[in-house]
Amino acid sequence: QTLVTQEPSLSVSPGGTVSLTCGLTSGSVSISDLPGWIQQTPGQPPRTLIYSTSSRSSGVPDRFSGSIRGNKAVLTITGAQADDESVYFCVLSTGRGTWVFGGGTRLTVL
Amino acid sequence: EMQLVESGGGLVQPGRSLSLSCVASGFTFDDYAMHWVRQVPGKGLEWVTSISWNGEKKDYAGSVEGRFSISRDNGKNTLYLQVTSLRVEDSALFYCWAICVSTTCAGEIWGQGTLVSVSS
């Protein structure tokens, strides 16, 4: 069974840039997997930041961007702010009608 | 405002059934494929099931296939999840998640969640 991989935790300085990655234990992530990035802060429901690789949801600041780099999907935060401290989940479509989430990356801004 | 509101969660004994609902407002419901996603508090997200915009295609995670049933009523802007043969490990916050599949919409919408607790 192929699993979705994410860094368990990352940290970034305020104003800095950080890249979160989303890979597969077997194979490469591509645009056909429709990678998405979901942000969740404690006690709140999930919120989609990026869908279909690089489309930004309405109201999401442009410091968040999505791409494919090599064999992974990447979420880049440019100019990180304190309220970006959250857990970020990657989600992929398997192409067989099912979807799978990564385990999440806990981002600390310090 | 585009909104999804779940309901129907609660405390239930193992082996029993529950019916969850998700009411959509502020957007054209049948422009969206609908999903249920669950989350054990403090843990990650788990995709559970999805249904196409017209209800013709349904998919399930292996862990719930045969026990959970998804449906929708586009006339009532409502998504349903019938959960049967509940297990303790089904305890979680259940979210509905809408994904635009039409050229006349964009983006995704999440509900606030409804909590299902399975315990004897």
Side-chain angles (χ1 to χ4, degrees):
Chain A
Q1 179 187 0
T2 300
L3 300 176
V4 178
T5 62
Q6 295 186 249
E7 299 86 359
S9 63
L10 289 171
S11 62
V12 61
S13 300
T17 296
V18 64
S19 291
L20 288 66
T21 70
C22 173
L24 294 170
T25 53
S26 176
S28 300
V29 176
S30 70
I31 59 173
S32 63
D33 299 322
L34 306 178
W37 292 94
I38 314 299
Q39 179 191 49
Q40 190 176 35
T41 53
Q44 295 298 312
R47 170 198 183 198
T48 297
L49 298 177
I50 302 289
Y51 61 95
S52 297
T53 305
S54 58
S55 296
R56 199 176 298 114
S57 291
S58 176
V60 172
D62 60 8
R63 66 177 182 274
F64 293 94
S65 63
S67 63
I68 298 286
R69 190 186 306 162
N71 62 350
K72 295 183 178 182
V74 178
L75 173 70
T76 302
I77 307 173
T78 305
Q81 299 183 2
D83 60 4
D84 295 337
E85 193 161 286
S86 300
V87 178
Y88 293 85
F89 296 96
C90 166
V91 62
L92 302 175
S93 170
T94 66
R96 300 184 301 275
T98 60
W99 294 68
V100 61
F101 287 90
T105 296
R106 184 174 301 275
L107 181 67
T108 302
V109 181
L110 50 72
Chain B
E1 179 191 4
M2 297 186 293
Q3 195 172 10
L4 295 169
V5 178
E6 302 94 334
S7 62
L11 176 62
V12 62
Q13 293 179 324
R16 304 298 290 265
S17 301
L18 211 54
S19 182
L20 307 183
S21 299
C22 169
V23 177
S25 60
F27 63 97
T28 302
F29 187 58
D30 57 8
D31 277 347
Y32 290 75
M34 296 299 298
H35 303 248
W36 287 98
V37 173
R38 66 184 178 183
Q39 184 176 38
V40 174
K43 302 297 184 183
L45 299 172
E46 180 189 10
W47 178 84
V48 174
T49 179
S50 66
I51 188 168
S52 60
W53 67 274
N54 59 3
E56 291 185 356
K57 187 177 190 300
K58 304 175 184 179
D59 293 284
Y60 298 91
S63 58
V64 307
E65 184 120 44
R67 298 189 300 122
F68 289 13
S69 178
I70 190 172
S71 61
R72 66 189 293 164
D73 184 336
N74 287 348
K76 295 182 177 179
N77 290 344
T78 303
L79 173 73
Y80 303 98
L81 182 66
Q82 183 70 27
V83 298
T84 65
S85 302
L86 279 163
R87 305 168 181 168
V88 171
E89 56 266 33
D90 292 321
S91 297
L93 196 53
F94 280 72
Y95 295 104
C96 58
W97 175 34
I99 297 180
C100 168
V101 294
S102 166
T103 57
T104 57
C105 61
E108 304 177 355
I109 309 159
W110 289 83
Q112 294 288 320
T114 186
L115 184 63
V116 172
S117 297
V118 184
S119 174
S120 54

